[in-house]
Amino acid sequence: MAVIDTPSETVAAAPEETTAPRPTPAGIAGALGSGDHKVIGRFYIGTALIFTALGLALGALFGVERVAPDTLSIFGAETVFQFWVLERLGLVFLVALPLMVGVGMAVVPLQVGSRAIAFPRAAAASYWGWLFGSLLFVASFAINGGPGGGSQTGVTLWIASLGLIIVSVLLAAVCIATTVLTLRQTGMTTNDVPMFSWSMLVASVLWLLTLPVAIAQLALVYIDYRLGGGNTIGANAEMFGNFTWLIENPQAYVVAIPVLGFAVDVLATTAGVRIAPRSAAAGAIGAFGVFSFGAFLAGSSAHDHKAWIVVALGLAAVLPVLAILGLVGDLFRRGSFRINAGALYAIGALLILLLTVLAGALASIPALETYGTVIQLAVSKGAVLAAVTAALGGIHWWATKLGRNAALETAGRLTPVLFLAGAVLVIAPEVASGLLGKDGTNEVVPSWAGGLPALNAAVAVGFVLALVGLLVAVATHKPLGSRELSRDSDPWDGQTLEWLAPSPPPLDNFVEPLPVVTSGEPLIDLREEK
Amino acid sequence: MAASGTLAVPAAEPVRPRTVLVGTVLAAAASFVGIMALLGMYVAHRSAALSAGKTWLPDKATIPLTPSNMAFGTMLLSGLAIWWAVDAVRRDDRRTAYLALGLTLLFGLAVINATVFIIKVSLIPVNTVPGVYFYGVVGAHLVMMIVGLLYVLSQTIRTLAGDSGPGNVEGLTSAAIFWTAAVAALGVIWIAVYIAK
């Protein structure tokens, strides 16, 4: 859809409009000016995958640097802090969030039976804003900016670019949440919303309720740095301390909320049975969202992190993940267990998330005195790796809706295994360093010099494995861009409405009129009616 | 739900699914959260300073109460005026709608003027803790008011063009909701910053 077109959702759809798809604008102008949620989703995914490769490579290099930070000095003594900030915030705002937004933007309207995303122009603006902000974010470090940078222009550019990135993500969240809330197919109640769309709704609401706090802090940092001399909020290097709550327990989990919805949808389809009880699955995802709310820790001190609410949230976050794992076990007990790449991605992402929330629980127990240690790195990196695994799984699972053909199935099974192994090697050593390294001889604060050196080597290997997994995933996704069209629009015997769309879906998503939805699995209903 | 024995007919597809309304509610909620976050940090730092036996505002700095009372009173009037406009459009009373929308814009501009005046006369140095947080809170709300006024202005133009009517007040209602969030935010700022200082 070109942005000059009238979006479908703002007018009452005439019957002939629903059956006769309009021609898709072609060429570069058609792509750059597109308000088609699938095109925007593909843009998000493609760009974020490039940042993912760079982010994982940076993570691996920091793993090596932390083996012998005094002698190796890969990043240079003067710039290592800036690279550290780039890695930690970049993995969230340039990797995990845009990947999830991209998959959600492409898939959610199809899942709820909508012919367009809500506010297509805003959705397009969110991508271009995010892309522009991300490039400026990286550029700010290149000109000696970012926290700890020597260039005032570079530091200011870092503040502005991070603000632009967050505003763009918020814009995307409004589009996705509004689509789920208002543009559902006739008959689809909130209880019938597919679990991935439901998890995207929960995640979007959480982003909308927490990320404005980061924008507020950016405004304060800007006022202080540019107008107040930088001696109030924190001088240049301490600026980063204002934003660490974004990448710590429990706020770090907000990027991984859609992991639960993706896993339930994929595994229910793989098992070939209905999700039961749906309210339990939806409730667990909603509860995980509630337990991920960490905006109240903005501007907090170490003492605040030992408050009962942080301890309670850290421990409680394990329960929804366990509940979803229990539901998944029940799905396979009632249905058939088939191993396919989608199921492996789903199980892999769930297990990585379980490891992450367990690390978060350990980081929350005051008696262990792990607050302020490298355990926080396990939490933030684990959440990002879970989100990336689920996003890559989403691209594989919905390949015939995102591209022109299905992804390579056999090779695709390798990626989740590599990511799971990589995540174990990233999370477990950081947890062990945090628990065992407090003997006074080792640096265990979350910094580029923190952690036990021998265990940090394992972290580097973990990131390398994840990077190899990413490259394998990209190779398996090659058929998505092939000239040959897929003959099978529903390769998995799907249960939800997106599988009624042809592959690739046309501009208005569906060719045939959709059935009135009466349950959470409308395609099972259709098969049973036949 | 249809009674037993009767034919259960599916509900008709909604002609207008209130997309703009829901999107605006989400955006207004996010904006409100941002301002409340700033306010929370302002209050926390003030509380910490007072608990330590220090004064909060620097010497010679002041937050004048009279203009801030006037600003909040005017903001309340604008909040009433916008809903008056929504009601008038719903009743197809266009003359009253134009009057109410004009008053909303006028009151809104007056509040912006008053806020700028408060910033100018407060004399709080920006290189102090109270200065950074005060200008952060008031400045962020100023931005929210400007965005809200532009939203109201766009809906005023649409109403003048005849786009809004008894069957379609969604756009204007959405602008009213955003503006009401701005009024509520100023209410909290008025109590926590202007009165309590």
Side-chain angles (χ1 to χ4, degrees):
Chain A
M1 182 189 302
V3 291
I4 54 170
D5 292 346
T6 304
S8 306
E9 86 283 6
T10 59
V11 292
E16 60 269 23
E17 284 181 337
T18 60
T19 52
R22 287 171 287 163
T24 307
I28 294 174
L32 296 183
S34 178
D36 183 351
H37 64 95
K38 301 177 290 294
V39 174
I40 301 165
R42 283 198 293 266
F43 280 170
Y44 259 117
I45 291 167
T47 322
L49 284 178
I50 296 170
F51 284 126
T52 307
L54 297 174
L56 293 176
L58 207 51
L61 286 174
F62 266 112
V64 175
E65 165 98 16
R66 289 166 62 198
V67 172
D70 296 331
T71 52
L72 279 175
S73 192
I74 295 170
F75 297 101
E78 291 183 357
T79 51
V80 64
F81 179 67
Q82 288 156 284
F83 276 106
W84 175 253
V85 175
L86 175 63
E87 187 230 6
R88 294 210 69 195
L89 290 180
L91 281 175
V92 174
F93 290 104
L94 273 57
V95 174
L97 274 174
L99 272 177
M100 277 302 173
V101 165
V103 176
M105 202 167 270
V107 172
V108 165
L110 290 164
Q111 277 205 319
V112 299
S114 172
R115 295 180 187 278
I117 195 165
F119 316 119
R121 295 169 185 82
S126 83
Y127 170 72
W128 295 111
W130 171 80
L131 177 66
F132 194 53
S134 299
L135 294 175
L136 289 179
F137 184 80
V138 176
S140 71
F141 288 98
I143 59 169
N144 194 19
S151 158
Q152 192 187 41
T153 308
V155 176
T156 311
L157 184 63
W158 179 82
I159 297 169
S161 60
L162 186 56
L164 181 57
I165 289 170
I166 296 176
V167 168
S168 302
V169 170
L170 290 176
L171 203 54
V174 168
C175 297
I176 291 169
T178 308
T179 303
V180 179
L181 290 170
T182 65
L183 296 179
R184 299 189 301 271
Q185 167 61 5
T186 306
M188 184 185 283
T189 65
T190 47
N191 193 43
D192 299 330
V193 171
M195 285 301 150
F196 178 69
S197 294
W198 170 254
S199 65
M200 283 303 300
L201 172 65
V202 173
S204 297
V205 170
L206 257 294
W207 298 339
L208 285 166
L209 292 180
T210 55
L211 294 183
V213 180
I215 294 180
Q217 286 187 302
L218 282 170
L220 292 173
V221 165
Y222 179 82
I223 292 170
D224 185 40
Y225 184 73
R226 287 291 296 199
L227 308 173
N231 55 5
T232 302
I233 304 291
N236 191 1
E238 289 97 58
M239 204 180 272
F240 176 56
N242 293 288
F243 304 99
T244 49
W245 65 274
L246 285 164
I247 45 178
E248 286 181 351
N249 172 33
Q251 180 69 23
Y253 301 147
V254 294
V255 298
I257 296 169
V259 169
L260 299 176
F262 164 74
V264 174
D265 262 358
V266 169
L267 294 172
T269 303
T270 306
V273 293
R274 294 175 188 268
I275 301 163
R278 288 187 73 80
S279 54
I285 294 168
F288 189 66
V290 172
F291 299 150
S292 304
F293 184 85
F296 62 92
L297 286 172
S300 64
S301 64
H303 176 74
D304 298 325
H305 281 81
K306 294 173 183 172
W308 67 269
I309 190 162
V310 180
V311 178
L313 287 176
L315 297 175
V318 181
L319 299 176
V321 182
L322 287 176
I324 292 293
L325 279 167
L327 275 165
V328 166
D330 182 59
L331 287 173
F332 285 122
R333 185 185 60 79
R334 290 187 287 118
S336 58
F337 187 78
R338 285 180 292 163
I339 289 290
N340 57 33
L344 286 175
Y345 270 114
I347 293 169
L350 265 183
L351 291 177
I352 295 171
L353 188 57
L354 179 65
L355 281 175
T356 304
V357 292
L358 287 173
L362 288 173
S364 305
I365 299 172
L368 295 177
E369 296 181 346
T370 48
Y371 173 72
T373 71
V374 287
I375 276 196
Q376 287 296 348
L377 298 182
V379 176
S380 60
K381 290 172 182 173
V384 167
L385 287 173
V388 172
T389 308
L392 291 174
I395 300 166
H396 188 101
W397 184 253
W398 288 295
T400 54
K401 308 302 166 193
L402 289 166
R404 298 166 68 86
N405 221 318
L408 300 175
E409 174 63 18
T410 309
R413 295 176 187 181
L414 187 58
T415 298
V417 176
L418 285 170
F419 260 87
L420 180 59
V424 169
L425 287 175
V426 168
I427 295 170
E430 304 282 23
V431 173
S433 287
L435 289 172
L436 305 173
K438 301 192 302 288
D439 58 0
T441 58
N442 296 291
E443 184 78 62
V444 288
V445 295
S447 75
W448 61 92
L452 302 179
L455 293 174
N456 289 339
V459 175
V461 175
F463 270 110
V464 170
L465 280 179
L467 185 58
V468 173
L470 176 71
L471 296 176
V472 171
V474 170
T476 61
H477 295 156
K478 201 181 170 192
L480 274 73
S482 71
R483 290 185 180 277
E484 189 185 342
L485 280 175
S486 169
R487 292 176 192 164
D488 190 1
S489 62
D490 182 8
W492 314 110
D493 290 331
Q495 302 180 345
T496 39
L497 291 178
E498 75 269 27
W499 302 109
L500 288 179
S503 296
L507 184 62
D508 281 353
N509 288 345
F510 300 97
V511 175
E512 302 293 329
L514 295 176
V516 173
V517 175
T518 55
S519 78
E521 295 85 9
L523 270 61
I524 291 184
D525 297 338
L526 281 178
R527 285 195 279 269
E528 286 176 353
E529 282 173 19
K530 288 176 185 173
Chain B
M1 179 64 75
S4 177
T6 60
L7 184 64
V9 180
E13 194 166 349
V15 176
R16 288 194 177 270
R18 296 179 180 272
T19 306
V20 177
L21 193 71
V22 171
T24 303
V25 168
L26 293 170
S31 307
F32 192 78
V33 165
I35 292 189
M36 290 305 109
L38 284 165
L39 200 59
M41 287 183 253
Y42 177 96
V43 172
H45 279 83
R46 183 181 63 196
S47 175
L50 296 178
S51 302
K54 300 174 187 169
T55 55
W56 174 238
L57 292 179
D59 289 343
K60 296 180 184 174
T62 180
I63 300 176
L65 193 57
T66 307
S68 52
N69 287 344
M70 289 299 294
F72 182 56
T74 312
M75 194 72 177
L76 278 178
L77 286 175
S78 74
L80 290 173
I82 184 99
W83 286 107
W84 184 27
V86 172
D87 180 62
V89 171
R90 196 171 277 142
R91 288 184 288 103
D92 207 18
D93 182 357
R94 307 196 75 78
R95 187 173 294 180
T96 307
Y98 299 151
L99 174 68
L101 284 168
L103 283 174
T104 306
L105 292 168
L106 184 69
F107 289 149
L109 288 171
V111 177
I112 289 174
N113 182 49
T115 307
V116 172
F117 176 76
I118 292 166
I119 290 173
K120 280 194 169 181
V121 301
S122 60
L123 298 176
I124 304 175
V126 72
N127 59 349
T128 59
V129 175
V132 169
Y133 287 96
F134 174 77
Y135 294 120
V137 171
V138 177
H141 187 258
L142 202 58
V143 171
M144 188 181 184
M145 280 196 294
I146 291 169
V147 171
L149 268 189
L150 289 174
Y151 198 178
V152 173
L153 181 64
S154 72
Q155 293 308 315
T156 303
I157 293 168
R158 293 186 72 165
T159 306
L160 283 168
D163 194 49
S164 300
N168 179 23
V169 286
E170 189 188 348
L172 195 57
T173 308
S174 305
I177 286 172
F178 192 90
W179 190 248
T180 304
V183 174
L186 184 59
V188 184
I189 293 170
W190 180 62
I191 294 169
V193 177
Y194 295 151
I195 292 181
K197 307 214 190 308

